[in-house]
Amino acid sequence: MSDIIQLLPDSVANQIAAGEVIQRPASVIKELVENALDAGATSIHVLVTDAGRTCLQVIDNGCGMSPTDARLSFERHATSKIREASDLFDLHTMGFRGEALASIAAVAQVELRTRTANDELGTLLTINGSRFGGQEPVSCPVGSNFKVENLFYNVPARRKFLKSNSTELNNILSAFERIVLVNPDVSFTLHSNGAELMNLPATGLRQRIVDVFGKKINQDLLPVSVDTTLCRINGFVGKPEAAKKKGAYQFFFVNNRYMRHPYFSKAVMAPYERLVPQGEQVPYFIYFDINPSDIDVNIHPTKTEIKFENEQAIWQILSAGVKEAIGKFNEVPSIDFDTFGKPDIPVYNPFDNSKPAPGVKTNPQYNPFNTPQKPKNNIGQWQQLYDGIETGKTTQASLSLFTQQEGMTPDAQQTMAGGVGEEKSPNHYQYKDRYIVTAVKSGLMIIDQHRAHLRVLYEEYLDKMKQHRWETQKVLFPELLQFSQAEAVTMENILDELSTMGFSVTPLGGGSFSVNGIPAGIEGVDTGTLLRNMVQTAIQMTESAKNEVNASLALTMARNTAIHAGQTLSNVEMENLVNRLFACSNVNLTPDGKNILTIIKQTEIEQMLG
């Protein structure tokens, strides 16, 4: 039998490695910018075209590479970061595997211009799909200039499954934010299709956070600082009032490396347990400085999952540090008793004879049998006492055991009132200001009023968007909203959908938008919160189809405008809501799949009552 096992060519092996390291254009940006930081760059410029599909370019002023190093850098497992296996437990650089450049060159057309400070001329190197194109001297500044074109041009399946340009640009912005937040002493710029999205000068950590996410976040940050022999933790956490259901900025960094860590996230949220509503999140920017030998970053190709040797102890330190920050800056709500109009009760001192001891005062002249004179009867109106006797009818209120709001069926009310043949309006009972209970043929129907209204508004909003017949209510004073760059990109992409919904929003540049009009009928709703939630919903969408955008925006808007549990409804309002619900296409489930109503059958009631 002939041998069937053989070594794969380097080009194929590099493409396989690229499948793990280079997942999308954002992965290229991350690897190239991290290499620039390892090279000691103080100024980094990132330029993307068509969200990285056509071209990605990273320019830095780092140490650069010699002609030999430039050629060798694209070989697999070629690195300047480590020399032996023990170096993996003492990492002080972002990269160390030597796979990034080889993986990028395997799935794209790469052009590199680089020069060191000791060389008069630099090096121009071109590689197409792992095939060496050429190398020649060239005049260029000190540093490196990587230009990556036609990403995944030789892997059609990977290129086909890239998301829309807006989605990929959001991924690039997310990767860019994670890098700039941990390197405030380095200046960064980001351009997309020739337009400047970010220009971040070298500054302090707090100012860098403000530059990335806007001035509004500055007033919500509380500094955290803990220094122990095990680790050093610093950064910022948000005030309790900054909590939100979605879109909270949450970042962990360890030794200047971004990481995801749900276990530590619980440590941050634990001190907020009784300070923020359940399900809401606060922003935080936490930076760990720990001995590299106590962590392992080599467990995932993207290096975002990190193992800690003393994970439980660090959890306690982190939670205590956050709790101290909240208490130190007096952000825990204090009990403020309302003392206005209350009597001043002095503290009794038995040695102070200047003030008499408290006692009970009585009125000896009081006689309980001395009652005030009764008012005279109005004899002239005695006929009112006999109203209804001649006709043989009395009012329903005088005979009914239960009022209409107490849940009696129309038939029972008619029977007790003696008016069986008269028309009565349908009766509904609101239980604990949350559920609508009504009698149906098969038993009792219980309807969740919030979910019912959510379904009604969702379908009405979708219908108005499809018909383009939503009226806009102009506001007297336009509201100015500030978004981060990632949110601003999404906001601009959904402006058309917002317009069909009745919003009048004008982009002002720099992530600022002016709200000049809102849909008629949603007056009183916090427009800023509503639009931010809609943007976060659009960011989290997996597809960019217009129908899904409309459905997501309609659902978000319905959630913000639907009546909530605890709102008292009149019988007319309940009747109107029930009628609108049963006119919907789906009366059983909300758009996100939750039950709207349930029916307790008559047989079940009889069995329960025995």
Side-chain angles (χ1 to χ4, degrees), residues 305-546:
E305 297 180 11
I306 299 176
K307 292 293 185 181
F308 289 75
E309 182 178 354
N310 303 299
E311 194 172 64
Q312 188 172 1
I314 295 176
W315 194 98
Q316 299 291 343
I317 296 172
L318 175 60
S319 183
V322 174
K323 186 178 298 184
E324 180 185 10
I326 299 174
K328 183 177 180 181
F329 294 92
N330 197 26
E331 288 304 324
V332 178
S334 58
I335 301 176
D336 185 15
F337 294 100
D338 185 8
T339 58
F340 179 76
K342 299 296 187 294
D344 184 15
I345 302 177
V347 179
Y348 175 66
N349 185 1
F351 302 101
D352 186 6
N353 297 325
S354 61
K355 296 181 180 179
V360 179
K361 296 182 179 180
T362 60
N363 182 10
Q365 303 299 326
Y366 174 73
N367 187 347
F369 297 99
N370 291 336
T371 58
Q373 186 177 4
K374 297 181 179 180
K376 296 181 179 180
N377 294 329
N378 193 347
I379 301 178
Q381 299 179 359
W382 62 269
Q383 292 89 349
Q384 296 179 1
L385 300 175
Y386 300 93
D387 287 347
I389 291 181
E390 295 181 358
T391 60
K393 296 182 180 180
T394 57
T395 60
Q396 180 179 350
S398 63
L399 293 178
S400 296
L401 182 61
F402 299 100
T403 62
Q404 188 178 19
Q405 285 74 17
E406 290 177 323
M408 291 201 61
T409 61
D411 293 342
Q413 287 187 3
Q414 291 174 1
T415 301
M416 296 189 69
V420 178
E422 300 176 2
E423 291 186 0
K424 299 287 182 179
S425 61
N427 179 263
H428 305 284
Y429 168 61
Q430 189 180 21
Y431 177 66
K432 291 192 174 181
D433 291 341
R434 181 173 180 180
Y435 303 102
I436 298 174
V437 183
T438 186
V440 294
K441 185 176 181 180
S442 58
L444 283 178
M445 178 185 295
I446 302 175
I447 303 173
D448 188 303
Q449 65 183 33
H450 170 70
R451 296 179 181 179
H453 201 207
L454 177 65
R455 164 57 69 175
V456 170
L457 293 179
Y458 172 75
E459 296 200 3
E460 289 180 355
Y461 292 163
L462 272 185
D463 181 64
K464 289 182 178 181
M465 292 169 68
K466 292 178 181 178
Q467 301 295 330
H468 298 282
R469 55 185 178 86
W470 206 316
E471 297 181 358
T472 300
Q473 176 67 45
K474 295 294 184 180
V475 296
L476 184 60
F477 300 102
E479 182 176 358
L480 184 64
L481 299 180
Q482 181 70 36
F483 293 92
S484 66
Q485 286 299 332
E487 295 171 335
V489 171
T490 303
M491 185 70 173
E492 292 180 355
N493 291 331
I494 64 174
L495 283 180
D496 292 340
E497 284 74 18
L498 292 177
S499 179
T500 61
M501 297 181 69
F503 286 97
S504 176
V505 182
T506 304
L508 304 178
S512 299
F513 293 83
S514 174
V515 182
N516 305 313
I518 60 176
I522 69 165
E523 293 81 1
V525 177
D526 187 347
T527 308
T529 302
L530 174 59
L531 287 175
R532 293 182 189 280
N533 290 339
M534 296 171 80
V535 169
Q536 290 298 327
T537 301
I539 290 176
Q540 297 172 5
M541 285 167 34
T542 57
E543 299 179 6
S544 58
K546 184 175 181 179

Side-chain angles (χ1 to χ4, degrees), residues 89 229-231 290-296 306-311 314:
F89 303 100
T229 57
L230 192 61
C231 67
I290 192 170
N291 189 344
S293 61
D294 293 337
I295 60 175
D296 185 6
I306 299 176
K307 292 293 185 181
F308 289 75
E309 182 178 354
N310 303 299
E311 194 172 64
I314 295 176

Side-chain angles (χ1 to χ4, degrees), residues 195-262:
E196 184 179 85
L197 297 184
M198 286 191 184
N199 190 339
L200 307 173
T203 182
L205 178 57
R206 187 176 190 127
Q207 185 60 42
R208 174 57 58 87
I209 296 174
V210 173
D211 290 342
V212 174
F213 297 112
K215 297 179 180 179
K216 184 179 180 181
I217 198 174
N218 189 34
Q219 61 188 5
D220 296 329
L221 297 180
L222 301 176
V224 177
S225 181
V226 182
D227 195 356
T228 66
T229 57
L230 192 61
C231 67
R232 183 173 177 269
I233 301 174
N234 63 82
F236 300 93
V237 294
K239 296 180 181 179
E241 56 265 30
K244 57 178 68 174
K245 290 185 177 180
K246 58 174 64 176
Y249 307 122
Q250 298 180 333
F251 295 90
F252 281 125
F253 301 95
V254 56
N255 294 352
N256 294 340
R257 188 188 305 274
Y258 170 78
M259 71 169 180
R260 296 187 180 94
H261 211 295

Side-chain angles (χ1 to χ4, degrees), residues 132-169:
F132 179 71
Q135 181 174 347
E136 60 184 29
V138 67
S139 177
C140 63
V142 175
S144 299
N145 182 345
F146 284 90
K147 188 175 183 181
V148 181
E149 297 179 304
N150 300 323
L151 186 63
F152 299 130
Y153 79 100
N154 55 351
V155 190
R158 295 289 300 277
R159 189 174 179 87
K160 176 182 178 182
F161 286 101
L162 287 177
K163 304 299 183 181
S164 65
N165 284 355
S166 60
T167 302
E168 295 298 342
L169 184 57

